[in-house]
Amino acid sequence: MQTKLPIAALAFLAIILLGPVIASGGTERQTLIAELLQEVNLQRELSGKPPLRLDNRLTAAAQKHAKNMSEIFFFDHLSPDGRRVVERVAEEGYPWRVIAENIGAGLSSPKCMVKAWMNSQDHRDNLLSGEFNDVGIGYSKPLKNDRKLGHSHYWVLVFGARAK
C-alpha cells in the first residue's frame, strides 16, 4: 500500500503542473491521462522500474499525433505527411537521447489499453524499459462517432530519455 501513494501523488502533480498542456481537451482527457500514467507506473513498479515523469514536450507530441489519427482516421506510427516520432518530438524541442512510441486504438479505458500493451512484447518492452525516465501521453476520440471511418479512442505514449 505504501508504494501506491507515490504513484498517485506523481499523477496528481502531473495534472497540476501540466494542466495547461492537457486542459484544452477538457476534464475527461485530463482524467484519462492521469489514469494511464498511473497504470503505466504501476506496471513499472511491479517490474522493479522507477516511475516515468510526465513531460509537457513529449505530451504535446503524443497529443498532436493522437488528435491527427482521430481526425483523419489513420492508425500508424508514420503520419500521412511522412513524419515519425523522432521528428514529432524534435519539433516540440525535447532533447532526446533515446525515444520510443506506443500507439493504441479502440479501447476506452486506460487499464484496458495498458493491459493490451503489456500483452504485446514490443509495447511491453517500451513500457518497462529502464532506459526511459520521461513520458508523454496523448488521447483523442473523433468528433464523429462513426466506427466505419476509424476507431473510437486513440492513445499515444511517447517514451524518452533526455540527451546529456
Side-chain angles (χ1 to χ4, degrees):
M1 282 294 211
Q2 283 184 335
T3 57
K4 290 186 180 180
L5 181 60
I7 291 173
L10 185 63
F12 177 75
L13 284 174
I15 289 172
I16 298 301
L17 295 174
L18 295 173
V21 173
I22 58 180
S24 62
T27 304
E28 178 189 21
R29 191 167 85 222
Q30 283 181 304
T31 301
L32 291 170
I33 287 173
E35 288 175 11
L36 189 71
L37 179 62
Q38 187 173 359
E39 289 294 326
V40 166
N41 281 333
L42 175 61
Q43 292 303 318
R44 290 178 63 83
E45 180 183 344
L46 293 171
S47 297
K49 302 291 190 244
L52 296 172
R53 296 178 306 248
L54 197 60
D55 180 89
N56 63 346
R57 294 167 293 185
L58 294 179
T59 293
Q63 184 57 39
K64 287 176 183 176
H65 191 54
K67 187 173 187 250
N68 193 22
M69 287 191 294
S70 75
E71 286 179 348
I72 60 176
F73 305 112
F74 76 97
F75 181 70
D76 202 323
H77 292 283
L78 184 66
S79 299
D81 64 5
R83 292 182 312 133
R84 297 188 181 279
V85 64
V86 294
E87 288 90 13
R88 293 190 296 270
V89 167
E91 188 175 278
E92 298 302 327
Y94 182 85
W96 61 276
R97 176 178 52 81
V98 61
I99 205 89
E101 179 179 67
N102 283 5
I103 61 173
L107 298 172
S108 61
S109 82
K111 189 171 194 152
C112 289
M113 191 66 257
V114 170
K115 184 177 180 180
W117 282 328
M118 290 298 288
N119 287 324
S120 163
Q121 191 61 52
D122 289 343
H123 293 104
R124 179 186 179 90
D125 290 347
N126 286 342
L127 206 139
L128 300 179
S129 174
E131 287 193 83
F132 304 122
N133 45 29
D134 294 326
V135 68
I137 301 173
Y139 169 77
S140 188
K141 60 182 180 179
L143 295 176
K144 299 175 186 173
N145 195 12
D146 187 349
R147 292 181 186 220
K148 291 182 284 187
L149 296 175
H151 299 285
S152 56
H153 303 271
Y154 292 83
W155 303 89
V156 179
L157 282 180
V158 178
F159 303 93
R162 294 181 188 142
K164 296 181 181 185

